[in-house]
């Protein structure tokens, strides 16, 4: 289909307009007029052009030191990074802002956005959770400072989501030890999981896997250490039955319990080695 003359004129006008805007922006970047650049940066920000606003503000911040506009410029600059999803940078600049202006009218929002930036930068539970822990610390700091904040409900929700991620990480790490047949490490990790997350949805599964890992560890041990390790199987089983009397894994657990009882009897006269 041939392009109409009107369409050509429209495209030409648009191209000229964009070129003019770009040229105007490039002149602003090179301009030594701090006030003019600051006004333009705020206008870009208010229009939602966070890239151009951020570029101008980054140049301006060192030049605005000691001026009343510096506070707003630093907050807006941090937020331009947040709006562009540069969460590592926004977290850094919001923290810098709250350290520099702890009593600012923007301090509460900056503290909230610092926590939220870290929250959004937190990786999936299967990865290293150092950033998740940092986010939780930031959230707790925010709640300590602004317990009645309008952001409190959202921040509480963020905290719960991050805690769930750490819970998933802890369980999957413990289960991986079990799957790899690192039975001693699995017992330790599963025990720690039960202590740290007693109300977890994985608690029953963790309790059963602990019996199974302890049973396998006892079986593979040297004879002088087997009895004490089978005794642990019995103790874990009794805790499991008390906690989950209707578990679908009860029959399998009972089989390990019965075998452990027989082994304990068989090994009663075997000298016990020092614990390792």
């Amino acid at each position: 289909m041939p392009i109409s003359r009107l369409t050509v004129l429209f495209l030409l006008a648009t191209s000229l307009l964009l070129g003019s805007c770009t040229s105007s922006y490039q002149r602003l970047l090179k301009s030594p007029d701090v006030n003019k650049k600051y006004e333009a940066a705020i206008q870009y920000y208010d229009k939602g052009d966070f890239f151009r606003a951020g570029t101008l503000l980054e140049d301006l911040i060192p030049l605005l030191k000691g001026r009343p506009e510096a506070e707003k410029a630093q907050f807006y600059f941090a937020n331009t990074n947040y709006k562009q999803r540069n969460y590592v940078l926004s977290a850094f600049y919001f923290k810098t802002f709250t350290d520099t202006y702890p009593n600012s009218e923007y301090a509460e929002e900056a503290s909230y956005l610092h926590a939220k930036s870290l929250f959004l930068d937190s990786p999936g539970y299967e990865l290293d959770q150092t950033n998740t822990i940092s986010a939780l610390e930031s959230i707790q700091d925010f709640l300590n400072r602004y317990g009645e904040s309008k952001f409190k409900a959202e921040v509480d929700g963020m905290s719960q989501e991050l805690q769930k991620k750490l819970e998933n990480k802890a369980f999957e790490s413990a289960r991986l030890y079990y799957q790899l047949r690192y039975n001693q490490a699995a017992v330790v990790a599963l025990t720690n999981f039960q202590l740290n997350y007693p109300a977890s949805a994985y608690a029953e599964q963790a309790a059963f896997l602990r019996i199974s890992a302890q049973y396998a560890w006892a079986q593979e041990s040297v004879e002088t250490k087997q009895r004490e390790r089978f005794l642990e199987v019995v103790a874990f089983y009794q805790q499991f039955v008390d906690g989950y009397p209707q578990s679908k894994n009860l029959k399998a657990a009972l089989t390990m319990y019965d075998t452990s009882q027989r082994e304990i009897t068989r090994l009663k006269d075997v000298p016990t080695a020092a614990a390792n």
Side-chain angles (χ1 to χ4, degrees):
M1 180 184 296
I3 301 175
S4 69
R5 184 178 179 184
L6 183 60
T7 301
V8 171
L9 290 173
F10 173 78
L11 292 173
L12 180 60
T14 301
S15 177
L16 291 171
L17 179 61
L18 289 173
S20 175
C21 290
T22 301
S23 298
S24 175
Y25 174 68
Q26 293 299 327
R27 286 196 297 272
L28 276 170
L29 287 174
K30 298 174 183 177
S31 173
D33 190 331
V34 173
N35 292 331
K36 184 177 181 181
K37 289 177 78 169
Y38 176 77
E39 291 173 4
I42 300 303
Q43 289 175 3
Y44 281 128
Y45 183 94
D46 290 341
K47 292 176 181 178
D49 189 341
F50 299 113
F51 174 77
R52 288 181 175 177
T55 303
L56 290 170
L57 289 168
E58 187 173 19
D59 287 345
L60 282 168
I61 285 171
L63 305 175
L64 291 172
K65 284 184 178 180
R67 292 181 49 165
E69 297 95 335
E71 180 181 326
K72 185 174 183 178
Q74 288 196 34
F75 177 78
Y76 273 30
F77 176 62
N79 209 25
T80 61
N81 282 283
Y82 176 80
K83 294 293 189 181
Q84 294 177 84
R85 302 183 181 181
N86 299 324
Y87 298 126
V88 173
L89 290 175
S90 64
F92 174 79
Y93 287 119
F94 280 126
K95 182 66 167 61
T96 300
F97 179 87
T98 55
D99 289 345
T100 306
Y101 302 102
N103 299 315
S104 168
E105 63 178 302
Y106 303 113
E108 179 181 338
E109 187 174 359
S111 182
Y112 154 72
L113 288 171
H114 171 250
K116 190 166 184 180
S117 294
L118 293 174
F119 166 78
L120 291 169
D121 190 53
S122 172
Y125 74 84
E126 68 279 1
L127 301 176
D128 179 78
Q129 293 301 301
T130 301
N131 288 0
T132 299
I133 293 169
S134 296
L136 282 167
E137 291 172 349
S138 177
I139 285 170
Q140 189 57 55
D141 181 63
F142 174 82
L143 292 173
N144 290 341
R145 291 170 181 259
Y146 306 105
E148 302 303 319
S149 172
K150 64 181 181 180
F151 303 115
K152 184 178 185 303
E154 183 182 355
V155 171
D156 283 338
M158 287 158 46
S159 178
Q160 291 171 13
E161 187 172 332
L162 293 174
Q163 290 285 2
K164 183 68 175 176
K165 192 179 292 187
L166 292 181
E167 178 184 324
N168 290 344
K169 176 71 172 181
F171 178 72
E172 291 300 333
S173 295
R175 184 164 63 174
L176 181 60
Y177 283 129
Y178 175 80
Q179 291 171 335
L180 294 173
R181 304 182 69 82
Y182 297 156
N183 294 309
Q184 182 179 5
V187 170
V188 173
L190 289 161
T191 298
N192 289 337
F193 178 82
Q194 289 180 284
L195 291 172
N196 293 329
Y197 304 99
S200 170
Y202 302 114
E204 178 183 337
Q205 190 176 358
F208 173 73
L209 291 179
R210 185 172 71 149
I211 297 171
S212 185
Q214 180 67 36
Y215 178 75
W217 184 28
Q219 284 187 314
E220 69 191 16
S221 299
V222 296
E223 194 172 60
T224 53
K225 295 182 179 180
Q226 281 187 316
R227 191 170 189 273
E228 63 182 281
R229 291 173 183 172
F230 280 119
L231 283 169
E232 284 294 303
V233 176
V234 170
F236 292 166
Y237 169 81
Q238 289 169 340
Q239 293 171 21
F240 180 72
V241 171
D242 290 343
Y244 311 101
Q246 305 300 321
S247 173
K248 66 180 182 180
N249 293 311
L250 204 58
K251 185 176 180 180
L254 179 60
T255 298
M256 290 184 282
Y257 168 81
D258 287 340
T259 302
S260 297
Q261 289 283 38
R262 289 194 296 270
E263 288 296 293
I264 290 166
T265 300
R266 181 181 70 81
L267 296 161
K268 65 180 180 179
D269 296 323
V270 175
T272 301
N276 182 17

